[in-house]
Amino acid sequence: MTELIKHSAATLAAMLAAKDVSAVEVTQAHLDRIAAVDGDADRGVHAFLHVNTDEALAVAADVDGRRARGGADAEDLHEMAGVPIAVKDLIVTVGQPTTAGSRILQGWHSPYDATVVKKLRTARMPILGKTNLDEFAMGSSTEHSAYGPTRNPWDLDRIPGGSGGGSAAAVAAFEAPLALGTDTGGSIRQPGAVTGTVGVKPTYGGVSRYGAIAMASSLDQIGPVSRTVLDAALLHELIGGHDPHDSTSLTDPSTGLVAAARTGNVQGLRIGVVKELGGEGYQAGVLARFNESLDLLRDAGAEIVEVSCPNFVYALGAYYLIMPSEASSNLAKFDGVRFGLRTLPKDGPMTIERVMASTRAAGFGDEVKRRIILGTYALSAGYYDAYYGSAQKVRTLIQRDFDAAFTQADVLISPTSPTTAFRLGEKLDDPLAMYLNDVATIPANMAGVPGLSIPGGLADEDGLPVGIQLLAPAREDARLYRVGAVLEGLLEESWGGPILNMAPELVATQTMEAK
Amino acid sequence: MAAINRDDVAHLAQLAHIEMSADELDRMAGELAVIVDSVKSVSEVAGADVPATSHPIPLTNVLREDVVGHVLTAEEALAGAPDARGGRFRVPAILEED
Amino acid sequence: MTDATLSFDVAMEKFDPVLGFEVHVELNTATKMFSSAPNVFGDEPNTNVNEVDLGLPGVLPVVNRKAVESSIKIGLALNCKIAESCTFARKHYFYPDTPKNFQTSQYDDPIAYDGHLDVVLSDGSIFRVEIERAHMEEDAGKLTHMGGATGRIQGADFSLVDYNRAGVPLVEIVTKPIEGAGSRAPELAKAYVAAVREIVKNLGVSDAKMERGNVRCDANVSLRPYGQEKFGTRSETKNVNSLRAVENAVRFEIQRHAAVLDSGNTIVQETRHWHEDTKSTTSGRPKSDADDYRYFPEPDLLPILATPAWVESLRAELPEPPAARRKRLQADWGYTDLEFRDVVNAGVMDEIEETVAAGASAAVARKWWMGEIARRAKLADVDPVGLGVTPAVVVELDALIRSGAINDKLAREVLDGVLAGEGAPAEVVQTRGLAVVSDDGALQSAIDTALAAQPEVADKIRAGKIQAVGAIVGGVMKVTKGQADAGRVRELILKTLGVEA
Ligand SMILES: [Mg+2]
Ligand SMILES: [Zn+2]
């Protein structure tokens, strides 16, 4: 493994600016790593569904050319120019397929770029490819991808979290220094936790959703996936800000995050431990690492307080009404008329109604069907008030809990996920057990507040990464970076280096084949 | 709240335009019954006095000026179509012949 | 299979009709309701769409400010209250002309509600129609059914979809149940739709061309025995797209309902389709529990707050209301009450206004629109406006007559040519060779022939019976196939016979 791929995005950006290395070298190093360890549906990490070799190298060469020419061409380059990135395959990209991890979009090419992708292109960041996910982001393990699961680089027999398992695994496996994810109920933070990487769900509206294939519109948010808090801040600032194509986009400028990450300080800060996000159902090793983090923060001058958010216990239930309801609506457009798969009925009359029904039957996987049916039920006449309507009220109660908690604390803290990475297949037949993985991450989506997950160490019982989640009030994303950077520094000091230094070396898949 | 049964699932699958086999209906009914049971507490916690939150961050009057912007060519519009003819999307007959 | 009907008079003796209308008005904004693609009629298929209109994965809607303002104006013109806050909702149904398989519409909080519209009937009386609501929504694409029987949906082999119209802003105006119209129900139906059309056209918010579907009417009809308070079961006749059709459809449905009820059967609540060719409706889809639209608040759009300042600034922009305008036009044109009412009922007031504006006198404009054009429209069974004659054609015909180039009879032939697509009136005169024969030499030989053919008439004229000249003029017109100026012919006959007029 070349050392180049071990650098953080911030370091790579500095090396590129200093011309210590070329963008083509950096990009090629990552493409080589992908070729070596990513494998396919049957072996390797399988973080990528599509590798964008030619375009990534062309963008890198363009950056190098501009730097070489100097003058305005070089000065106008974004500080992240030439730093490669991977994009969750839920986000549309011109020139590459976008599948959403679903059979129904196999081979589909978007005629337009997502707003965040436009921003990556403007910054001239080479896009390495599209990363794997649970179909339409519905899952917590990436096992619901129609194209086979992604494997956790810490243990290839285990899940990388989900739905953004591909983005987290790619970053954890040094296949990319950065990636984009989407987080509806924890799909950035939970994979971050179980792969030993950093993931941030920004304040709802902080990053444009235009071009992210919608699961649950009022919960979805695009955010950064990285190995360091600073890298997440750099990417967050780049992709954030107002977008006139997204009505729910905030007009706040996307600034102050990098500065917060660089000047981290918790002196005198009140950090609230959410009573309801811990205890029963949380793995012992997860709680042990969580408590160590509290001690480190206390020692660094923070005041640790306990806060109670009594309505959080209803968050999971309300989420499993709102999310499928909105998803059932958002996924209605996948009907085999304008784009994507069309499957004809095997027999009987060839009407469009029946073609739509057989297309959706063949194109959607079980979990997607389950959620569409559940959402259709929750929205249907006679059930709306009891289900969707009540769930939206619970949302108000959760927001009130957050408001109250944030009068007692500047940021809140909890484990990101109740457990470390479980084995592939372990929870596949038990939807409820799978849904419980998001119990700590869902409240943030319900209330629209920002959340960050950073590695908190390895659980004693299995040696697998544990995630620590920080939550801040809406539009106060900077606080996450300020506290996250401090905790990250204290933890790395205690470990003697980044957590991924403790991860096992990945065996190249070619070697595995040779065996 | 009534439990969800196989007939309910069949009706919902029809509303959602998803063809389902008898086996699938049975399996789905079982799974959904468990899920619905686990979320039913939601309808009990929030009283009539609690307003619904549709949008996590409340905004109003987000409006666009009436100015023509991005347009696709017919070619681009039809590029991903499963079937097309003469610049239009082609679909099978909409009704069965009676 | 055609449904049985009772005669209208018998139906009216037995039953009391209750009406209700949902009128969809397409706004004439530059762009779509939720996307910046152009809102243009008649272009090549799928050329006025972007990813939002096609409902491609990942897209999001953004509301068109102008469409909201137009909707508020419509609400104000219909004497509605404007909602301080309103939202959008998703209405779900799978149909290939609906790109997202849901329509973004308004549900329980429309932008305008509780209004009324005073409709003038042909006898001059005013009927007040109460407006329940006016809400914003988006139009669907256009389906063309191919193969099978004559482009109808039944028996088509396949259908083609053009999404140019998808996302065009619509305002749907819904009335409260209209009671008490009695036998004037069909007339009221037509007058109501005409009044809505007039209002939106006058506001400048819609092109209001019914023949293009800019204004489309769904007509609800139910009957009940006189004296009964409870409404009968209704039918909803969809997309009735001309004023005459609205009148005819309501009349037909009253007669059909009456026949069903009279024979002791019950009306099925269903949608009906109006067929212009057979002047009847046929059964559409029965209302069933499949119509579970699963409305929920559109999470991608935010509430619209119509502040008093905003509403008042829009109110200040409203043009002269139609009633005031009618009063002014009648005075300007010098029409009698009866003449003016006929013009309004024929739906040609706007056309006369344009014709006068283009240079014709009010009398000439009325002569054409209420005369020849109305006559032809009746024959063709269309509204006068639907015949395809433009104010410019009328003005040109009038100018040709006044210059002596053609006479009234030839003008009718020129109109034939114009309607046959042969071009503007002057072109038709040219290509059909319809100019008046004003060459005295050619006329003289025709006159000589006519006089020689009827010597006894010539003698009478010479003897002073000048009114007999008509017979000779007729002979000359026959020979010249009507292409002579009758006045000039008369002068020449008298001159030839040496008689003083
Ligand atoms: Mg309607
Ligand atoms: Zn409508």
Side-chain angles (χ1 to χ4, degrees):
Chain A
M1 170 171 16
T2 89
E3 283 309 300
L4 214 43
I5 58 170
K6 289 252 182 167
H7 293 305
S8 70
T11 303
L12 288 173
M15 291 169 72
L16 286 163
K19 297 192 202 170
D20 291 343
V21 66
S22 75
V24 168
E25 286 173 274
V26 171
T27 302
Q28 189 60 59
H30 287 96
L31 290 168
D32 290 347
R33 175 70 170 173
I34 293 168
V37 304
D38 203 55
D40 53 31
D42 300 321
R43 79 208 74 203
V45 178
H46 194 227
F48 283 85
L49 294 179
H50 175 81
V51 181
N52 190 34
T53 307
D54 294 346
E55 188 193 85
L57 288 171
V59 170
D62 175 55
V63 170
D64 290 339
R66 284 165 189 271
R67 276 222 167 84
R69 281 197 296 282
D73 264 3
E75 280 162 29
D76 290 347
L77 282 175
H78 191 279
E79 65 172 316
M80 301 296 279
V83 178
I85 186 167
V87 174
K88 188 178 185 182
D89 203 22
L90 194 66
I91 300 173
V92 304
T93 45
V94 172
Q96 295 183 66
T98 301
T99 68
S102 180
R103 200 61 73 194
I104 210 162
L105 276 184
Q106 189 163 26
W108 179 69
H109 280 67
S110 171
Y112 77 104
D113 271 330
T115 297
V116 290
V117 170
K118 275 192 181 152
K119 291 189 177 206
L120 299 183
R121 294 198 201 281
T122 304
R124 294 195 160 77
M125 295 178 72
I127 297 174
L128 294 167
K130 307 293 289 287
T131 56
N132 200 8
L133 67 156
D134 286 297
E135 183 176 3
F136 286 105
M138 296 182 182
S140 307
S141 68
T142 316
E143 292 166 291
H144 295 303
S145 168
Y147 304 99
T150 295
R151 295 173 196 83
N152 193 322
W154 288 78
D155 177 349
L156 293 179
D157 292 330
R158 289 180 187 264
I159 60 104
S163 66
S167 283
V171 170
F174 302 100
E175 295 174 274
L178 292 171
L180 289 182
T182 67
D183 190 313
T184 305
S187 288
I188 290 175
R189 290 162 289 160
Q190 182 258 3
V194 300
T195 57
T197 56
V198 175
V200 178
K201 183 203 89 76
T203 296
Y204 184 81
V207 177
S208 168
R209 290 183 293 121
Y210 195 72
I213 299 176
M215 169 160 66
S217 310
S218 71
L219 302 162
D220 296 345
Q221 196 56 196
I222 294 176
V225 173
S226 63
R227 290 190 294 267
T228 72
V229 171
L230 175 61
D231 283 1
L234 285 163
L235 182 54
H236 189 160
E237 275 196 14
L238 192 158
I239 59 175
H242 182 63
D243 178 16
H245 288 105
D246 176 357
S247 302
T248 60
S249 163
L250 301 176
T251 51
D252 310 19
S254 180
T255 54
L257 308 177
V258 173
R262 286 201 165 115
T263 58
N265 178 8
V266 295
Q267 191 68 45
L269 206 76
R270 296 169 306 164
I271 297 177
V273 178
V274 185
K275 198 174 85 182
E276 288 77 11
L277 301 181
E280 207 191 324
Y282 287 73
Q283 196 176 313
V286 169
L287 293 175
R289 294 293 86 78
F290 176 67
N291 289 325
E292 277 172 18
S293 282
L294 294 183
D295 291 342
L296 288 172
L297 287 166
R298 196 181 288 112
D299 293 348
E303 185 192 342
I304 306 296
V305 298
E306 193 188 72
V307 299
S308 174
C309 296
N311 292 294
F312 279 18
V313 295
Y314 304 111
L316 190 68
Y319 175 80
Y320 274 95
L321 289 168
I322 293 170
M323 176 273 295
S325 296
E326 295 185 6
S328 73
S329 172
N330 286 325
L331 266 59
K333 64 172 65 167
F334 297 88
D335 62 1
V337 172
R338 290 159 303 282
F339 54 83
L341 180 79
R342 176 182 289 182
T343 305
L344 303 180
K346 283 181 202 74
D347 40 42
M350 189 67 67
T351 65
I352 184 61
E353 293 257 316
R354 300 192 69 241
V355 172
M356 284 179 178
S358 58
T359 296
R360 289 162 66 78
F364 290 144
D366 284 347
E367 180 61 18
V368 173
K369 289 179 190 172
R370 204 150 37 221
R371 295 195 192 191
I372 289 175
I373 298 297
L374 182 58
T376 304
Y377 176 63
L379 290 178
S380 63
Y383 293 107
Y384 178 88
D385 288 340
Y387 289 145
Y388 192 79
S390 296
Q392 297 284 52
K393 288 181 172 188
V394 168
R395 232 169 147 160
T396 307
L397 298 177
I398 291 167
Q399 282 196 330
R400 288 177 183 171
D401 281 0
F402 269 117
D403 289 347
F406 284 125
T407 64
Q408 299 166 55
D410 301 296
V411 296
L412 305 181
I413 194 163
S414 77
T416 308
S417 176
T419 68
T420 56
F422 45 91
R423 289 187 191 285
L424 288 161
E426 195 177 313
K427 299 186 181 178
L428 205 47
D429 297 326
D430 187 351
L432 273 191
M434 191 71 96
Y435 297 170
L436 276 171
N437 291 298
D438 299 328
V439 70
T441 45
I442 279 171
N445 301 81
M446 296 292 276
V449 305
L452 169 150
S453 178
I454 60 166
L458 305 180
D460 299 320
E461 56 270 37
D462 52 23
L464 290 168
V466 168
I468 307 293
Q469 173 177 242
L470 295 167
L471 301 167
R475 300 174 142 147
E476 296 292 345
D477 305 49
R479 287 189 203 172
L480 302 177
Y481 291 104
R482 188 173 149 203
V483 179
V486 169
L487 182 55
E488 176 185 59
L490 295 169
L491 286 165
E492 289 192 354
E493 203 179 312
S494 74
W495 305 325
I499 193 169
L500 286 164
N501 285 358
M502 296 184 260
E505 277 291 321
L506 282 169
V507 181
T509 48
Q510 286 95 329
T511 321
M512 289 164 65
E513 252 162 345
K515 277 185 198 165
Chain B
M1 236 158 295
I4 191 163
N5 62 37
R6 187 183 186 280
D7 288 348
D8 295 331
V9 175
H11 172 67
L12 295 167
Q14 202 185 336
L15 272 181
H17 283 62
I18 300 176
E19 191 181 277
M20 277 193 195
S21 66
D23 282 356
E24 235 179 325
L25 288 174
D26 285 332
R27 186 160 45 81
M28 192 72 78
E31 289 165 350
L32 288 180
V34 174
I35 297 169
V36 168
D37 191 57
S38 76
V39 300
K40 69 177 181 218
S41 64
V42 167
S43 62
E44 289 146 24
V45 288
D49 55 323
V50 179
T53 294
S54 295
H55 297 89
I57 309 288
L59 300 172
T60 57
N61 286 359
V62 179
L63 303 169
R64 171 179 60 80
E65 296 309 316
D66 186 27
V67 177
V68 174
H70 176 56
V71 188
L72 295 171
T73 64
E75 231 172 35
E76 290 169 321
L78 292 159
D83 196 4
R85 178 190 276 200
R88 287 180 284 184
F89 295 83
R90 182 179 151 139
V91 296
I94 287 166
L95 288 180
E96 288 178 41
E97 205 159 350
D98 19 40
Chain C
M1 189 198 75
T2 48
D3 292 278
T5 55
L6 277 193
S7 87
F8 187 71
D9 290 343
V10 173
M12 281 298 113
E13 274 166 32
K14 301 191 173 196
F15 299 104
D16 174 20
V18 177
L19 306 180
F21 301 100
E22 289 161 32
V23 174
H24 284 87
V25 176
E26 277 185 346
L27 301 180
N28 59 2
T29 48
T31 67
K32 306 271 178 90
M33 185 74 217
F34 302 116
S35 97
S36 62
N39 170 14
V40 180
F41 177 85
D43 284 358
E44 288 295 305
N46 296 304
T47 56
N48 290 327
V49 295
N50 66 26
E51 59 271 18
V52 177
D53 310 298
L54 293 175
L56 294 187
V59 300
L60 296 171
V62 186
V63 176
N64 182 337
R65 176 191 300 276
K66 176 93 178 290
V68 174
E69 296 190 334
S70 296
S71 306
I72 293 174
K73 285 182 177 177
I74 289 175
L76 291 173
L78 294 172
N79 307 293
C80 288
K81 294 176 187 146
I82 304 302
E84 282 172 42
S85 173
C86 66
T87 61
F88 287 97
R90 294 183 180 181
K91 177 185 182 180
H92 298 87
Y93 57 94
F94 282 80
Y95 211 68
D97 65 2
T98 303
K100 299 166 288 184
N101 287 322
F102 61 77
Q103 181 193 34
T104 306
S105 179
Q106 293 194 287
Y107 183 45
D108 44 18
D109 53 359
I111 191 158
Y113 60 99
D114 280 356
H116 62 84
L117 180 57
D118 287 335
V119 178
V120 186
L121 297 178
S122 62
D123 64 359
S125 64
I126 287 173
F127 195 105
R128 174 162 290 192
V129 173
E130 303 288 342
I131 306 293
E132 167 96 28
R133 58 189 279 160
H135 70 249
M136 299 182 277
E137 57 185 32
E138 58 181 335
D139 212 341
K142 210 169 169 51
L143 282 165
T144 309
H145 306 296
M146 307 296 285
T150 62
R152 284 228 185 132
I153 186 164
Q154 284 90 354
D157 294 330
F158 61 92
S159 303
L160 297 175
V161 204
D162 167 15
Y163 291 104
N164 279 349
R165 200 180 62 183
V168 166
L170 291 177
V171 172
E172 179 177 341
I173 301 163
V174 183
T175 66
K176 290 184 176 150
I178 303 167
E179 303 174 63
S183 61
R184 295 180 303 174
E187 186 201 347
L188 175 65
K190 177 182 165 184
Y192 168 73
V193 177
V196 169
R197 183 180 158 272
E198 185 179 29
I199 280 179
V200 298
K201 187 165 186 226
N202 189 48
L203 288 172
V205 299
S206 172
D207 292 345
K209 293 194 170 95
M210 289 192 80
E211 67 276 17
R212 284 192 179 178
N214 297 146
V215 176
R216 310 194 287 265
C217 176
D218 300 345
N220 293 279
V221 171
S222 69
L223 299 185
R224 61 184 172 186
Y226 284 99
Q228 177 183 307
E229 206 168 315
K230 191 171 173 279
F231 297 148
T233 305
R234 68 190 166 87
S235 63
E236 181 179 12
T237 307
K238 287 288 201 188
N239 288 331
V240 193
N241 292 341
S242 77
L243 295 176
R244 285 170 57 87
V246 170
E247 182 172 14
N248 290 333
V250 166
R251 183 186 304 276
F252 177 85
E253 278 298 285
I254 287 174
Q255 293 178 244
R256 183 182 71 81
H257 280 225
V260 171
L261 296 172
D262 197 45
S263 64
N265 293 316
T266 51
I267 294 290
V268 184
Q269 185 171 342
E270 62 180 354
T271 59
R272 307 278 301 180
H273 298 294
W274 172 249
H275 302 289
E276 197 57 52
D277 46 358
T278 57
K279 295 279 180 295
S280 62
T281 65
T282 55
S283 174
R285 200 164 50 87
K287 290 264 176 194
S288 70
D289 62 355
D291 290 314
D292 183 347
Y293 293 126
R294 287 159 283 137
Y295 280 102
F296 80 104
E298 167 58 91
D300 289 324
L301 293 172
L302 296 141
I304 291 169
L305 304 189
T307 60
W310 192 14
V311 173
E312 289 317 306
S313 76
L314 293 169
R315 194 193 301 278
E317 288 176 20
L318 296 183
E320 179 187 24
R325 176 167 162 250
R326 277 199 295 270
K327 201 167 269 179
R328 175 175 58 78
L329 289 177
Q330 188 185 345
D332 286 357
W333 296 343
Y335 293 177
T336 66
D337 285 354
L338 189 65
E339 284 171 344
F340 193 76
R341 195 183 303 157
D342 288 346
V343 163
V344 171
N345 288 338
V348 294
M349 189 178 74
D350 293 341
E351 282 61 34
I352 290 183
E353 188 183 26
E354 282 176 48
T355 308
V356 170
S361 73
V364 164
R366 198 177 71 81
K367 181 190 88 178
W368 277 97
W369 286 103
M370 297 305 293
E372 184 60 19
I373 296 171
R375 189 183 65 77
R376 286 169 183 250
K378 199 167 180 192
L379 282 176
D381 208 12
V382 294
D383 290 327
V385 176
L387 196 64
V389 182
T390 63
V393 166
V394 173
V395 170
E396 194 179 340
L397 286 171
D398 178 51
L400 287 168
I401 291 169
R402 280 191 290 125
S403 74
I406 56 174
N407 55 24
D408 279 0
K409 179 168 182 290
L410 286 174
R412 289 197 284 274
E413 237 181 282
V414 174
L415 192 52
D416 289 337
V418 172
L419 290 175
E422 292 166 25
E427 278 176 81
V428 177
V429 167
Q430 190 68 241
T431 49
R432 288 202 177 189
L434 292 178
V436 165
V437 179
S438 53
D439 171 2
D440 285 357
L443 286 180
Q444 193 61 55
S445 72
I447 287 167
D448 292 346
T449 311
L451 288 172
Q454 301 181 76
E456 67 290 359
V457 179
D459 288 342
K460 277 187 194 167
I461 296 168
R462 279 197 199 89
K465 278 200 83 176
I466 289 176
Q467 56 272 44
V469 78
I472 306 297
V473 172
V476 172
M477 295 308 277
K478 200 170 177 183
V479 170
T480 58
K481 297 195 173 74
Q483 279 175 259
D485 178 339
R488 182 66 188 150
V489 171
R490 186 184 151 93
E491 274 173 46
L492 285 174
I493 293 167
L494 295 179
K495 192 178 156 202
T496 307
L497 298 175
V499 178
E500 286 291 311

